[in-house]
Amino acid sequence: EPEVTQTPSHQVTQMGQEVILRCVPISNHLYFYWYRQILGQKVEFLVSFYNNEISEKSEIFDDQFSVERPDGSNFTLKIRSTKLEDSAMYFCASSEWGGNTEAFFGQGTRLTVV
Amino acid sequence: DAKTTQPNSMESNEEEPVHLPCNHSTISGTDYIHWYRQLPSQGPEYVIHGLTSNVNNRMASLAIAEDRKSSTLILHRATLRDAAVYYCILMETSGSRLTFGEGTQLTVNP
């Protein structure tokens, strides 16, 4: 069964450093998403991406964050100058179509900022 | 996003049916009802979604009230692997984001 894969599974970084979280969405999917889940809290939407541009973003997704589809298979989330409060599980998801279709989530990258 | 209300937790026994309720009294006519679940230490997983009619798939059934102000996710025979947090989420027809609430923590007893 096709799946969304994320690397690395765990990333530790120092406060102020830049990190790039990587995702390989399912190959025929057109919509890509990033969500995050701080330990013990709800899953929160960050951004959706379609046709090489951001289609929607949340209040959390400020100038510190950026997304990119650098080639035909990868989808990345970059966090510039990480803060302690960025420590969370980051989930990538993709769907064949937008709107009311099934979203497939990856297993997540646990980001720890020290 | 329209709000949903779910019980914080529910318990079931293995191989018995489970009915997970969700109230969404402020649902609009164009909101779809989605269910996702999150197993421990994993990403969310799609379960089912519907608009007005009841829906069935290999994982579960979704029963939607006639007035659409509530719905019930039905797991026909719970297994230990079904222990997870279940989220009921409303999404507009043209929407793309999933707004997760606290969900219902389902415990399945052997």
Side-chain angles (χ1 to χ4, degrees), chain B:
Chain B
D1 294 316
K3 187 173 168 55
T4 62
T5 304
Q6 300 177 251
N8 290 332
S9 61
M10 290 186 66
E11 269 192 60
S12 172
N13 295 321
E14 203 176 4
E15 298 190 6
E16 290 184 357
V18 183
H19 291 233
L20 296 162
C22 181
N23 287 318
H24 28 79
S25 58
T26 59
I27 191 170
S28 75
T30 55
D31 285 338
Y32 279 74
I33 302 159
H34 288 247
W35 284 83
Y36 280 76
R37 71 181 186 180
Q38 189 173 23
L39 279 65
S41 302
Q42 294 193 27
E45 176 186 29
Y46 170 83
V47 178
I48 201 166
H49 78 283
L51 182 62
T52 55
S53 304
N54 294 343
V55 185
N56 300 296
N57 65 20
R58 62 178 176 81
M59 287 182 70
S61 295
L62 176 60
I64 301 172
E66 202 168 324
D67 64 4
R68 301 209 326 124
K69 293 183 185 300
S70 65
S71 60
T72 302
L73 178 71
I74 303 165
L75 307 179
H76 295 284
R77 286 181 74 233
T79 69
L80 296 179
R81 195 195 172 274
D82 291 322
V85 180
Y86 287 78
Y87 301 98
C88 170
I89 300 168
L90 302 183
M91 184 188 285
E92 296 174 12
T93 304
S94 59
S96 63
R97 72 165 72 184
L98 292 164
T99 302
F100 290 82
E102 304 291 345
T104 296
Q105 174 70 63
L106 176 66
T107 301
V108 180
N109 300 313

Side-chain angles (χ1 to χ4, degrees), chain A residues 3-20:
Chain A
E3 59 180 14
V4 175
T5 56
Q6 292 185 242
T7 54
S9 56
H10 190 189
Q11 172 102 41
V12 181
T13 188
Q14 288 201 325
M15 192 168 53
Q17 295 295 304
E18 174 183 287
V19 294
I20 297 177

Side-chain angles (χ1 to χ4, degrees), chain A residues 2-114:
Chain A
E3 59 180 14
V4 175
T5 56
Q6 292 185 242
T7 54
S9 56
H10 190 189
Q11 172 102 41
V12 181
T13 188
Q14 288 201 325
M15 192 168 53
Q17 295 295 304
E18 174 183 287
V19 294
I20 297 177
L21 309 183
R22 302 180 192 280
C23 169
V24 179
I26 294 172
S27 62
N28 64 329
H29 285 189
L30 301 177
Y31 290 78
F32 315 114
Y33 313 87
W34 283 101
Y35 289 79
R36 79 172 186 190
Q37 186 172 31
I38 296 170
L39 187 63
Q41 297 188 24
K42 297 184 286 189
V43 177
E44 301 174 290
F45 170 81
L46 292 178
V47 66
S48 59
F49 190 86
Y50 168 71
N51 200 26
N52 282 320
E53 60 183 29
I54 291 173
S55 52
E56 189 177 0
K57 61 182 181 179
S58 73
E59 318 69 50
I60 303 168
F61 194 89
D62 59 22
D63 292 343
Q64 179 196 11
F65 294 90
S66 62
V67 290
E68 193 179 28
R69 188 152 164 83
D71 53 43
S73 60
N74 290 285
F75 179 52
T76 62
L77 174 69
K78 182 190 290 187
I79 310 175
R80 286 182 278 275
S81 190
T82 49
K83 302 184 278 236
L84 294 176
E85 53 265 39
D86 294 327
S87 295
M89 199 74 168
Y90 287 81
F91 295 109
C92 173
S94 69
S95 62
E96 190 172 1
W97 308 107
N100 286 279
T101 56
E102 177 180 356
F104 291 78
F105 284 77
Q107 293 299 307
T109 292
R110 178 167 299 285
L111 176 66
T112 303
V113 182
V114 297

